[in-house]
Amino acid sequence: MPDTVTIAVDFVGGDEGAAVMQRGVNQALSADPYLHVIAVGRAEDGVEAMASTHERVRAQVVTEAIAMDEHPASAVRAKKDSSIVVGCRLVKEGSAQGFFSAGSTGACLAAATMVMGRVKGVKRPALAQMLPGYPSPTLLLDVGANADCKPEYLAQFGIMGAAYMERLMGVERPRVGLLNIGEEETKGSAAALVAYSLMEQQVAGFVGNCEGNDLLKGSFDVVVTDGFTGNVCLKAIEGTASTVMGYLKRGFLSSTKAKLGALLAKGALGSLKQTLSPSTYGGAPLLGVKGACIVGHGSSDAEAVKNGVLVAARTARQGVAGLIAEEIAAAAGASAEGEEA
C-alpha cells in the first residue's frame, strides 16, 4: 500500500487564479487516493470552501501574498504570512512533506532555502527541469536558481540530479554530463575544465561533456550547467517546441489534402504535443532542500498543477532529499580521503 503523503499547495500563485489550482488539486486527489493536501491561500482564494467539500483537503488561511515583481528574498523576510513562506514552513514543521507553487520562482527558491533549509553539505540548491529527449528524457540543472556557479556547485548538481533520476525516474546508474562547447575534456572555460575534473572524481555516473545539440538525444540522463546558461537553454527549447508546433498546425491547415493527413496523424500529433508540453512534467524540482519542493510555471493550467502536485508527492515518498544527503556525504568523504592520500 502506498504511503500517505501530505503536500502543501499554494493557491495564491499562478497567472490563472485559484480556480485553476482547485481543478488541478482535485485531479491530483482523484489520481492518488493516498494524497492529502493543505490548501494554502487567502480567504478570497476559496481554500476553506474547498476543504469543506473534500475530506483529504484542509485549509491554511494566510493574509499575505508575494507578487511576481517583488524582490524575492526581501519579500520572504517581510511577508511571514504569505502563501509561499507558510507552505515552506509547513514542510519544515512536518505538517506536510512537500510544497507546490506556481507563484514567484525567486520567492519559492528563497523561501525553500531560508525556511525549509538546505540538505547538510549542499552548497547551493539547484532548480531542475525534465526535458523531452528522445528516446528518453533528460534532467537539466540548474535552470535558474544560481546565475553564477563555482565548479564545486556543478559537481554537486551532478550528484543531486543523478539521485533524483535514480530514485524518482527509476534510471539505473544515470549518465551525467557537463554542458559544454565541445565533447573533448580539454574544451570550455577555465571553470568548465575545473568542473570536469571535479565531476570525474566525485560523480559516479559522469560520462563527459554534453554539447548543446546532444541535450535532447537521450545520450545523457542528467546534464549540469550554471543557472544563467540553463535558463537560456530551457527557454530556447520551449520556444523552439512552440514554433515547431505552430508550423505543423499551419502546414496541416494549408489544403484539403493536408487536413486529411492531419486527421490520419491526429493520434501521433497529440502524443507529440503532450510530450513537448511543459504541463506534462508539472514543474521543476528544487533539489538540495529538506523536503520536496516543486516550482510550476506561472502559466500552469490544471493539468500542470495536477502533475506538479503528484510529482511533489512522489518525490516525498521516494525520499529524494534523504538520498541526496547520503550521496553528498559520501562524495565529501571520498574527497577527504583522496586529499589525505
Side-chain angles (χ1 to χ4, degrees):
M1 179 181 295
D3 296 331
T4 297
V5 67
T6 300
I7 303 300
V9 179
D10 176 13
F11 270 58
V12 178
D15 301 338
E16 303 302 318
V20 167
M21 303 303 298
Q22 181 171 339
R23 289 200 297 274
V25 167
N26 276 327
Q27 291 174 19
L29 289 165
S30 295
D32 184 346
Y34 300 96
L35 170 67
H36 292 248
V37 166
I38 302 176
V40 187
R42 300 160 299 186
E44 59 263 37
D45 296 313
V47 293
E48 292 173 301
M50 182 176 183
S52 68
T53 61
H54 205 299
E55 62 179 9
R56 286 187 281 130
V57 177
R58 78 172 177 88
Q60 181 72 46
V61 179
V62 298
T63 59
E64 296 176 305
I66 295 177
M68 292 290 189
D69 58 354
E70 290 188 76
H71 186 277
S74 298
V76 166
R77 292 189 184 98
K79 295 185 173 181
K80 303 296 186 183
D81 200 41
S82 62
S83 56
I84 291 175
V85 173
V86 171
C88 289
R89 188 185 305 137
L90 289 168
V91 177
K92 179 183 180 180
E93 294 171 349
S95 299
Q97 289 74 58
F99 176 58
F100 172 81
S101 174
S104 165
T105 298
C108 288
L109 301 181
T113 303
M114 296 163 62
V115 179
M116 291 169 61
R118 287 179 289 170
V119 168
K120 184 179 180 180
V122 170
K123 297 180 184 298
R124 293 288 188 279
L127 197 62
Q129 179 64 53
M130 198 70 71
L131 302 180
Y134 181 82
S136 58
T138 298
L139 188 72
L140 176 66
L141 71 163
D142 183 17
V143 295
N146 309 277
D148 299 300
C149 289
K150 296 179 180 180
E152 52 264 39
Y153 301 170
L154 299 180
Q156 285 200 341
F157 294 170
I159 294 170
M160 294 192 295
Y164 183 86
M165 290 298 283
E166 178 185 337
R167 186 61 61 88
L168 199 76
M169 303 299 292
V171 178
E172 294 185 15
R173 295 181 292 278
R175 300 159 298 169
V176 182
L178 172 66
L179 190 62
N180 210 329
I181 59 173
E183 63 180 24
E184 300 85 358
E185 63 181 278
T186 55
K187 290 290 182 70
S189 63
L193 295 175
V194 175
Y196 189 103
S197 178
L198 288 175
M199 293 181 73
E200 270 192 318
Q201 299 169 32
Q202 299 178 12
V203 184
F206 183 61
V207 293
N209 287 327
C210 170
E211 294 188 85
N213 58 352
D214 288 326
L215 260 178
L216 302 181
K217 291 182 179 179
S219 303
F220 299 86
D221 301 302
V222 179
V223 175
V224 303
T225 187
D226 62 89
F228 182 91
T229 303
N231 191 269
V232 172
C233 189
L234 176 63
K235 297 292 175 58
I237 291 172
E238 290 177 345
T240 300
S242 178
T243 300
V244 168
M245 293 305 296
Y247 274 120
L248 283 173
K249 182 177 180 180
R250 189 175 73 177
F252 280 123
L253 293 176
S254 62
S255 67
T256 301
K257 184 181 292 186
K259 291 178 182 177
L260 179 60
L263 183 62
L264 294 174
K266 183 177 180 181
L269 290 173
S271 178
L272 174 62
K273 183 178 180 180
Q274 183 177 16
T275 299
L276 297 178
S277 173
S279 297
T280 300
Y281 299 102
L286 180 63
L287 303 180
V289 295
K290 296 177 180 178
C293 180
I294 307 298
V295 183
H297 279 267
S299 59
S300 292
D301 56 14
E303 178 75 8
V305 172
K306 179 196 78 173
N307 288 330
V309 173
L310 293 176
V311 168
R314 288 178 58 207
T315 302
R317 283 193 180 107
Q318 294 298 324
V320 171
L323 180 59
I324 286 174
E326 294 172 7
E327 296 293 339
I328 291 293
S335 179
E337 290 178 4
E339 290 176 1
E340 292 175 1

